[in-house]
Amino acid sequence: MPLNQIQLRQISKSFEETEVLEHFDLDIEEDEFLTLLGPSGCGKTTILRLIGGFEEPDSGQILFEGRDVTAMPPHERPFNTVFQQYSLFPHMNVEENVGFGLRMRGIDPKEIQTRVMRMLDLVNLRGFNKRRPDQLSGGQKQRIAIARALVNEPEVLLLDEPLGALDLKLRKEMQWELKRMQRELGITFIFVTHDQEEALTMSDRIVVLNHGIIQQQGVPKDIYDEPANRFVADFIGDSNILDGVMLEDYKVRFSHHDFVCVDHGFAPNEPVDVVLRPEDIELVAPEKGMLVGKVMSCMFRGVHYAMEVDVDGAIYTSQSTRSFDAGQPVGIVLEPDLIHVMHKEARP
Ligand code: ATP
């Protein structure tokens, strides 16, 4: 059984009029890459700042390895934080920036040199030790900021949208890099982002938040394949979300058709949300379809085509490596296990 390294217990936190968290609980395991994912303002940064000790909860407890650290100042916690703004010292070179915290702690200069060089190796910037921040690219500055946080050998690294300022290509590169570093170091990473693709790529576990409430937590594949509610389905990946009725176990009606599905445990005739991923909507000849519609548009998206299909006024978005012409009648086939049925209310 993995150890819960950090536990947030019944945390409440408000800023003036804004209540961000109310009786919030979260467990974080040792050495996991945990991502807090949600739209702007949902409370991700507040949670990270509470863990880091930069904010105090109004009530509740934060435990580290079973010890109450709620009142402990940030520098005494075995955590380090990397922010979106690199906040490097402009007058110091790379080596001095990375070694700053160790110098403040009075560590022996030789030891500092060894540890700084080890960190520059880890972030692939060994040859850059004498450069000043203004001689580095955005991606290199962020690597230095990460090296500076890791040189203190924290047990937990807190990362607040650290890739937010980078362009897309660099961002993707850094996603791999961060994942590699976390594996190599074997420490806990708590990562904040509003970018679902980033979360799916890097995390061992994702916690999806909305208005300070956990909507779902789990491994990326489960979050993507089995969204717990409409919010998660809408926020993660592209989705078709349709109104349906669960007629009985394993039978759902939408678009005037009864489908076999794998869901059960709903009330008879319960109104439900039906989620279909575009890649799971198979387009076939009209006579072979469970539903029949008309292609409204077809767009080339690089790897696949995206088609919008009108089925009795409901628009289905489908993805396929085959293209279908606008105006063409098509059939739609839906496999039972690719139909996701969910209750209408948000379920944590
Ligand atoms: P983003 O992705 O935009 O950074 P977030 O999910 O990290 O958003 P938080 O920064 O945690 O959200 O903010 C949650 C709510 O608390 C927001 O409504 C924000 O305006 C408010 N808030 C955060 N910090 C403060 C503060 N110091 N004073 C007042 N309100 C604050």
Side-chain angles (χ1 to χ4, degrees):
M1 188 62 186
L3 187 70
N4 281 329
Q5 188 181 37
I6 298 175
Q7 293 167 294
L8 272 60
R9 287 284 167 265
Q10 295 289 299
I11 297 283
S12 295
K13 178 71 186 171
S14 298
F15 296 104
E16 291 143 24
E17 309 287 82
T18 321
E19 185 178 73
V20 184
L21 301 170
E22 195 190 0
H23 304 304
F24 182 85
D25 286 327
L26 180 66
D27 289 331
I28 299 163
E29 286 170 17
E30 197 170 342
D31 302 346
E32 75 172 327
F33 196 125
L34 179 98
T35 298
L36 302 172
L37 174 69
S40 185
C42 72
K44 310 178 290 289
T45 298
T46 303
I47 296 168
L48 204 73
R49 291 177 60 80
L50 284 162
I51 296 172
F54 304 107
E55 298 285 354
E56 247 184 78
D58 301 331
S59 60
Q61 274 188 315
I62 299 172
L63 306 178
F64 176 71
E65 292 175 350
R67 210 156 41 102
D68 190 339
V69 296
T70 320
M72 190 185 272
H75 63 273
E76 287 179 21
R77 302 186 188 200
F79 310 153
N80 259 107
T81 309
V82 178
F83 299 99
Q84 185 172 338
Q85 287 76 23
Y86 324 117
S87 39
L88 300 177
F89 300 113
H91 57 286
M92 292 184 196
N93 67 25
V94 162
E95 203 174 294
E96 290 161 345
N97 260 290
V98 176
F100 180 77
L102 300 180
R103 281 202 302 285
M104 289 292 103
R105 281 161 52 196
I107 305 231
D108 174 61
K110 267 212 184 107
E111 163 82 10
I112 296 181
Q113 182 69 10
T114 312
R115 280 167 66 174
V116 166
M117 285 305 160
R118 201 178 332 127
M119 282 305 122
L120 292 182
D121 275 343
L122 182 80
V123 298
N124 286 329
L125 283 180
R126 178 174 263 264
F128 291 69
N129 49 325
K130 297 294 177 200
R131 290 211 197 169
R132 279 196 327 272
D134 62 4
Q135 297 169 315
L136 298 172
S137 71
Q140 289 164 344
K141 279 187 217 167
Q142 190 54 292
R143 280 166 202 257
I144 298 303
I146 292 165
R148 190 180 53 178
L150 289 173
V151 82
N152 299 308
E153 297 177 353
E155 294 186 54
V156 179
L157 188 66
L158 308 172
L159 301 117
D160 192 359
E161 303 248 8
L163 312 182
L166 306 180
D167 67 46
L168 189 64
K169 190 159 180 294
L170 204 52
R171 203 177 164 124
K172 296 220 181 253
E173 267 172 44
M174 281 300 290
Q175 290 172 5
W176 290 103
E177 288 283 295
L178 275 176
K179 189 72 200 156
R180 175 187 59 80
M181 287 178 211
Q182 192 253 346
R183 276 205 215 99
E184 270 180 45
L185 293 165
I187 65 169
T188 311
F189 275 31
I190 308 176
F191 188 89
V192 160
T193 184
H194 60 264
D195 180 330
Q196 43 110 1
E197 197 193 325
E198 192 159 280
L200 291 170
T201 314
M202 288 195 289
S203 321
D204 295 321
R205 185 160 62 104
I206 299 176
V207 175
V208 186
L209 294 153
N210 193 24
H211 300 305
I213 297 170
I214 297 179
Q215 303 294 312
Q216 188 172 4
Q217 47 182 316
V219 300
K221 190 162 168 22
D222 287 353
I223 299 263
Y224 186 85
D225 287 343
E226 298 294 335
N229 58 42
R230 187 183 179 114
F231 174 83
V232 178
D234 207 19
F235 194 71
I236 311 269
D238 295 328
S239 290
N240 294 278
I241 305 180
L242 303 149
D243 288 323
V245 174
M246 196 69 184
L247 300 172
E248 56 189 67
D249 282 353
Y250 313 111
K251 196 190 263 187
V252 60
R253 174 177 294 168
F254 55 94
S255 285
H256 312 292
H257 186 90
D258 297 350
F259 291 89
V260 176
C261 62
V262 295
D263 298 273
H264 55 92
F266 291 78
N269 296 315
E270 180 178 330
V272 288
D273 287 320
V274 179
V275 174
L276 306 170
R277 296 291 187 193
E279 63 272 25
D280 295 337
I281 296 182
E282 193 189 345
L283 299 185
V284 295
E287 64 278 9
K288 291 192 177 145
M290 297 164 164
L291 298 173
V292 177
K294 191 161 99 174
V295 177
M296 304 304 290
S297 65
C298 175
M299 243 195 286
F300 182 55
R301 289 273 178 81
V303 180
H304 60 260
Y305 294 89
M307 272 71 60
E308 284 187 326
V309 179
D310 184 337
V311 179
D312 278 343
I315 303 297
Y316 283 65
T317 305
S318 159
Q319 285 174 6
S320 168
T321 47
R322 275 177 62 199
S323 71
F324 292 80
D325 294 334
Q328 180 183 345
V330 282
I332 287 180
V333 171
L334 297 169
E335 294 299 331
D337 59 332
L338 302 179
I339 296 173
H340 307 292
V341 180
M342 49 198 64
H343 296 280
K344 284 233 169 235
E345 279 86 15
R347 267 185 318 163

